[in-house]
Amino acid sequence: MPITRDLRPDITFLRTHNLMNDHMIANLLKDRKSFIQQTATEEITKKKYLKSIEFELNVMRLCKQELKKYGPLAIYNPQHSIILICISNQIDYLYYTMFQNCSFKKELLIEYMEFQTNHKRFITNEIHPLVVLMSKKNCDSNLYITAATYQFEHHDIEAARNFFNEGILKHKNDKNLRIEQLWVEIQYLEDRKGEYPCQVAIQKYKETINYFQGDIVLHITLLEKSLQFKTMRSLHSAIISDFVELYKENDLMWKKVAELASEGLTYYHDQNLFEYTTNGECRARCCIKVYEKGLETLFDKEKKRNLIENFTEYLIKQWLTNSIKNYQIRYAVQDAMERAFQMGHFELGGLHKPEYYVYWAEHTQARRLNILRLAIEHNKSNVDPWTTVLELQITFNEPNYRFIKKIFEDGVQALKNDSLLLWDVMDSYLQNNNLKLLEEFYESGANSPYENINMVYRAEYLQWYVLYNDMASTRELFSNLTSIQPDCKKLYMIMIDYEKLVTPVNVVTIKDLYNIVCSRFGQQENEIKVFTDFIKFEFTYCNGLDAENVYNNVLQFVNPSLRRTLKDAYNSIKQDYIIRRSFIRNDRGIQSFSEGEEE
C-alpha cells in the first residue's frame, strides 16, 4: 500500500511541468494525508471515497496528457512509468478500502475492474486486491458472477474460475452461481472450437446436480444452457443421459425430451447418442416415440394424465399445421392421435380438456358419430371448444370449405340453441367467399330449428338480402320469414326502414307494419321509441288527426309504467308539428303577397 511523503514522483512531475500550482499541490498532499488518518480513526462515506478517486483520476489524466508529448511509448519508459505506478497504486488503494468499508453494486465493481485492466502494468500488488477482498468480505453472490463474467470476457478463464469457486464456497445454495459457472465454461468451449476438452464443464455440471439432487428444474436449465451450442456433444450426452436416468418417473422429464425431439434434438438412450436433424418427419416421429415411451414408463396416474395432455396438445398442433402439407407427418400424427385419445378416455378416466373430444371426432372418419356423442357429453352448453376448433381450421385450412362446414355442422348439432357463437364465426368466414355460399348460410340460419339462431339470422338474412335484390323479392322473403315462429320484432323494424326508402312511400304498408309491432311487442318494450316513431310517421305522411288516433290506439299496448312518458313525448311531437305547419303557412302567405305586389 502507498507510503505518504511530501515529495513523490507524481508530485515532482506535476510541479516540474507546471500542471498544478503550489496551492493545488499543497491541497492534494493535505487531502491524501488527511484521508489516511481518517481511515484509521473514523468511518469514511462512500461519497468521500468516490470524490477522492475522481480527484486522483484527474491527476492521472493530467500526467498522461503531458507524457504523450514525449511520444506514444513514453509512459513505458522507467523514468516516466514510476509516475503512473505511484498514482495507479493510490487509486487502487482507494477502491480497495472503499470496498472493505462500504457496500457496493456490480456497476462500481465493473468500474474498478476496468481500471485494473487498463492499468495492470502499473499496479504492483502481489495479490489481486479484489481476490483478497471477496475472499474475506461476505459479498452478494451476483458480485462474484459479475467479476467472473468480466474476467472471462477479458480472456482470463482462470481468474473467472477463481471467482466462481470463491463465490460457491461462500454461497453454496445459490443455484444461479452454478448456472452461470457452467455457462462460462460452455462459452469458453465454444470459443475454442473443440480444441479444449469438455472435462471441466462436465465436472462443474456433475458437482451441481450432485449438490442439488432431485432438482429437475435446475437440471433442465443446465441442459438448455448447454444446448445453445451444438458442437459439444460429450457434454450434451452427459447431461441428458443423467436427466433421463434420474427423472424417468417424472412427467416433466419426458415432456422436455419430447420437446427437444420436436426441435430436432434427439437422444438415443441405448446408444448414449445425441443427434440433430432438420427432417420434419423424423422430428415428429421421434417426438411421438418419446411421449409414448414416457406414457409406457410412468406408473403414477396423475403424472400420466399430465404427460398425455402435453402429448395431445403437440399432436393437435401438428395436425392443424401439417394435415394438408405433409402426408407422412399427417399419417404419423393421426395414428398417434388415435392412440392418445383412446388412452386418455379409456385408461385415464377421460380426456383432460373437453375440446379434445372435438378434435378426436374431426380427425376420425370411421367412428365420427360415436366420438361426437362423447364430445357432446363432455361439452354440454360449452361453445368455446367448438369455436376454437372452427377458428383454427379456418386459419389453417381456409380454402377447404367442406371440411370447415362439417366442423360447423357438428358443432351446431352438439350445441343446438347455444351455438350462436359458431354461427358468428362462420358468418365472418363466409363474408370473404362467394355470395351463393353466404346466401345458403343465411337461409339455413333463418330456417334453423333452434330459436336462438333463427331469431338472429332471420333479421341478418333480410338485412343482407335487400342489398342485392329488388323490393318485390325482398317483400316476398319478408313474408316467408315472418311465417316462422316465434315473432321477431327486429324483422319488422328492418322492413319498415327499407319501405321508407321506396319512392313513393307506401303509407298503408308501413302503417300495417307499425300496427303489428305495437300490438305484438308493445307490452314487452321497456322504452317508447317504436311508438314515437309511429306517431312521427303519421304526422309526416298523414295529418294531426291520424297521429292523434294512432297515439290513442297505441296507449292500450304500451307498458303502463311508460304511459306518462309517451304522453309527454306525444305532446312534444305535436307541438313541433304545429310550429312547423305554421311556418309553412306563413311562408306561403308571404309568397302570395309578394306575387300580388308584382302584379
Side-chain angles (χ1 to χ4, degrees), residues 494-593:
I494 291 169
M495 198 62 197
I496 288 170
D497 288 339
Y498 284 118
E499 287 286 0
K500 288 179 180 179
L501 298 175
V502 176
T503 306
V505 172
N506 191 326
V507 175
V508 174
T509 299
I510 295 175
K511 288 179 71 169
D512 288 343
L513 292 171
Y514 268 126
N515 276 315
I516 292 172
V517 173
C518 291
S519 61
R520 294 184 184 178
F521 306 103
Q523 290 285 348
Q524 303 168 17
E525 292 294 303
N526 291 317
E527 44 94 15
I528 61 171
K529 186 176 184 307
V530 66
F531 304 110
T532 56
D533 284 350
F534 190 7
I535 294 168
K536 287 177 183 178
F537 176 80
E538 290 293 334
F539 273 123
T540 303
Y541 291 98
C542 301
N543 54 58
L545 183 59
D546 289 336
E548 186 176 358
N549 290 334
V550 166
Y551 165 67
N552 291 325
N553 185 47
V554 300
L555 274 176
Q556 64 181 308
F557 302 118
V558 73
N559 190 316
S561 64
L562 297 173
R563 286 175 183 169
R564 181 65 190 178
T565 306
L566 179 60
K567 181 179 179 180
D568 293 341
Y570 167 69
N571 289 331
S572 176
I573 296 167
K574 181 179 179 180
Q575 188 63 31
D576 289 343
Y577 170 74
I578 292 170
I579 294 170
R580 189 169 64 252
R581 293 285 294 175
S582 66
F583 277 136
I584 293 172
R585 283 197 299 271
N586 289 339
D587 287 344
R588 287 174 180 171
I590 291 169
Q591 186 178 2
S592 298
F593 180 74

Side-chain angles (χ1 to χ4, degrees), residues 158-173:
E158 291 305 325
R161 286 169 176 166
N162 287 338
F163 279 118
F164 275 125
N165 290 337
E166 194 63 42
I168 290 169
L169 192 63
K170 292 289 181 65
H171 302 274
K172 290 182 171 60
N173 296 322

